[in-house]
Amino acid sequence: MKTVLISGANRGIGLETAKQFSRRGYTVFLGIRNYDNGLKAAEDLRNAGYENIIPVSLDIRDPQSLNDAYRNILQYSPSLDALINNAGIRGQQPQPPATVDIDIIKDIFDTNLFGAIRLTQAMMPLLEKSKNPRIVNVSSELASLTLHDNQDWEFYEFKDAGYGPSKTALNAYTVMLAYQLRDSLFKVNAVDPGYTATEFNGYKGAGDVSDAAQLILKYATLDKSGPTGQFVSNHGQLPW
């Protein structure tokens, strides 16, 4: 049975992604910072008919928590087929570049960038044992510097100093990691799930969590001919 670890999996896109992986027959490790919430989410999923759901206490800002999560997963499986770096925060708003408190930016980067790197590195020994290891870094269209230079872009006015740049940096890490792993079985991609209606944005997004999760699942289950080191959305490849 294939395995997947999803960070931030107790709500929104992460939760829907867990459901879709379960339907595909995966063992799904629900990475959740609050373990009690994880137990509740796993129970709700099982009661709804989803199988092979295992909650994992996971604080991507705490290296010891990641070590514990690694050992926990190892009790169930010797390998990990897919890692979904989904956990992220918007940070305190607004974030005007000229005046924002730098600690707000640091807080965002510690989760959205460094947290993803910590988790990836912690799980690398398990991923390396998979026959088809896949890493999906959940990014955002707001990461695109090219689009930020386009006055006709829908989100042109959204120029925060923390969230968007943290995803830009995550995209850069995606490129560098994909290059390091280019001669291996790995596929590493940054995926923009779109402006999806979730608690994360106060349900203001126009997209549906099902579509967002389907895109993540697609890039987490690529075959050997699939792309790596790309930045993609439901509309195709995005500019950096």
Side-chain angles (χ1 to χ4, degrees):
M1 182 176 291
K2 291 187 176 182
T3 56
V4 59
L5 170 61
I6 307 169
S7 64
N10 63 313
R11 61 183 181 177
I13 293 172
L15 181 61
E16 177 62 24
T17 302
K19 292 177 181 178
Q20 295 199 17
F21 270 106
S22 176
R23 293 191 197 111
R24 290 283 291 264
Y26 277 68
T27 293
V28 181
F29 296 105
L30 295 178
I32 301 175
R33 186 172 56 179
N34 185 313
Y35 189 62
D36 289 338
N37 290 344
L39 290 173
K40 177 64 165 57
E43 181 182 7
D44 290 345
L45 287 170
R46 294 190 197 104
N47 290 339
Y50 296 97
E51 299 178 344
N52 305 310
I53 305 292
I54 302 171
V56 175
S57 180
L58 189 69
D59 183 349
I60 61 175
R61 299 171 67 141
D62 180 0
Q64 184 58 52
S65 173
L66 300 183
N67 291 337
D68 292 343
Y70 174 87
R71 288 192 291 269
N72 191 2
I73 292 171
L74 199 56
Q75 294 179 26
Y76 296 92
S77 174
S79 63
L80 190 63
D81 295 297
L83 170 63
I84 314 299
N85 281 308
N86 170 70
I89 60 172
R90 288 185 65 201
Q92 182 179 322
Q93 298 287 331
Q95 297 163 18
T99 58
V100 64
D101 188 328
I102 195 168
D103 286 335
I104 293 175
I105 299 176
K106 288 180 179 179
D107 189 53
I108 296 168
F109 269 70
D110 198 28
T111 295
N112 296 0
L113 174 64
F114 301 128
I117 295 174
R118 290 187 197 102
L119 181 56
T120 299
Q121 293 181 345
M123 297 300 149
M124 191 59 68
L126 291 173
L127 289 162
E128 288 174 337
K129 294 178 181 177
S130 170
K131 294 180 180 179
N132 296 288
R134 303 290 180 259
I135 299 173
V136 172
N137 293 326
V138 178
S139 186
S140 168
E141 193 175 342
L142 296 172
S144 172
L145 299 181
T146 301
L147 290 177
H148 275 290
D149 196 40
N150 178 2
Q151 295 186 25
D152 295 326
W153 179 45
E154 179 182 3
F155 302 108
Y156 178 73
E157 299 294 331
F158 195 83
K159 295 287 194 290
D160 69 338
Y163 178 75
S166 75
K167 294 297 187 177
T168 305
L170 181 62
N171 283 0
Y173 177 69
T174 302
V175 172
M176 308 310 167
L177 181 62
Y179 180 79
Q180 180 185 349
L181 301 172
R182 67 194 182 282
D183 295 325
S184 71
L185 298 172
F186 277 83
K187 303 290 184 184
V188 185
N189 290 287
V191 171
D192 166 34
Y195 191 33
T196 306
T198 65
E199 184 179 341
F200 186 83
N201 56 39
Y203 299 97
K204 295 177 181 178
D208 185 79
V209 290
S210 178
D211 294 332
Q214 284 178 24
L215 182 66
I216 292 170
L217 187 142
K218 173 183 175 181
Y219 279 86
T221 57
L222 290 171
D223 62 25
K224 293 180 181 180
S225 65
T228 191
Q230 301 298 307
F231 178 29
V232 298
S233 73
N234 272 315
H235 303 291
Q237 194 165 342
L238 289 169
W240 299 110

